[in-house]
Amino acid sequence: MLGSLLALDLQLSNELSRSYGHTSHSRLFWEAVSFSSDGVPWLVVPLVLFVFLPFIPALRLLLHPFFVHLFIVCAIGAVLDTVMKAILRRPRPPTNKNDNLTPYIGPDKFSCPSGHSSRAFAIAVTVLLHGSSPLRFLAFGWSSVVALSRIFLGRHYPSDVFVGALLGIAQVLASHALGIPQAIVGEVQSYLA
């Protein structure tokens, strides 16, 4: 049974990647979509801004529970994705060319779960919990297109992006239920006072 599912996963990955991700124009588009959920803009930029919070009062807008929750789920997700990849050690699909347009090589050579999909769906659920109606639809549309980009580029199997999406959704719901964003906002506000 598992062998049949893995064979289907490989077949879908190969067909989708060959059909949608290997012309120069489509590849550039899918790379841009993929980069929109890359770890650097979603982790490094907010971290740098949080460092400057005590010195630039205008940055205190980042203490809104939405932004704190967003940063927390991206940080937790990066750790969970890395740990799961180290445990599962699933190689990337044979269609992966390791030809990222970004100037650095990804942090790992393993495929499951898709960190981009995890982050994109975590962001979408965070928007769902904190955002307005139009943003909710846009966020879920964007996260779905990010997940597809990872398959079309040959970076992941369909099951990798599915597991990544579930992981992203679960971590947001768990952190929200535990009240983690609100607790951190309170701690930082008392520190800055």
Side-chain angles (χ1 to χ4, degrees), residues 116-164:
H116 285 75
S117 298
S118 174
R119 193 167 20 266
F121 277 89
I123 292 165
V125 174
T126 304
V127 170
L128 175 71
L129 293 172
H130 299 278
S132 64
S133 294
L135 280 180
R136 293 174 184 171
F137 293 114
L138 288 173
F140 275 98
W142 166 76
S143 61
S144 299
V145 173
V146 166
L148 286 174
S149 77
R150 302 305 289 164
I151 299 168
F152 293 170
L153 289 169
R155 306 278 193 265
H156 291 284
Y157 296 95
S159 61
D160 300 339
V161 299
F162 180 73
V163 171

Side-chain angles (χ1 to χ4, degrees), residues 164-187:
L166 290 179
L167 184 63
I169 292 166
Q171 67 179 339
V172 173
L173 296 177
S175 65
H176 185 72
L178 294 171
I180 293 172
Q182 293 79 5
I184 291 176
V185 168
E187 287 295 320

Side-chain angles (χ1 to χ4, degrees), residues 3-59:
S4 298
L5 290 174
L6 291 174
L8 177 63
D9 209 21
L10 175 61
Q11 180 183 357
L12 281 171
S13 177
N14 287 337
E15 288 179 19
L16 291 170
S17 179
R18 273 194 297 262
S19 298
Y20 299 104
H22 285 285
T23 66
S24 60
H25 294 320
S26 67
R27 193 147 190 88
L28 185 61
F29 172 76
W30 293 119
E31 284 283 358
V33 169
S34 178
F35 182 74
S36 73
S37 181
D38 201 63
V40 171
W42 291 100
L43 289 168
V44 175
V45 172
L47 186 59
V48 168
L49 292 174
F50 279 122
V51 166
F52 287 101
L53 268 176
F55 311 108
I56 304 171
L59 289 178

Side-chain angles (χ1 to χ4, degrees), residues 71-90:
F71 178 71
I72 290 168
V73 298
C74 287
I76 291 171
V79 172
L80 289 176
D81 294 339
T82 302
V83 168
M84 286 185 66
K85 284 181 180 185
I87 292 168
L88 297 174
R89 302 180 65 82
R90 184 180 193 188

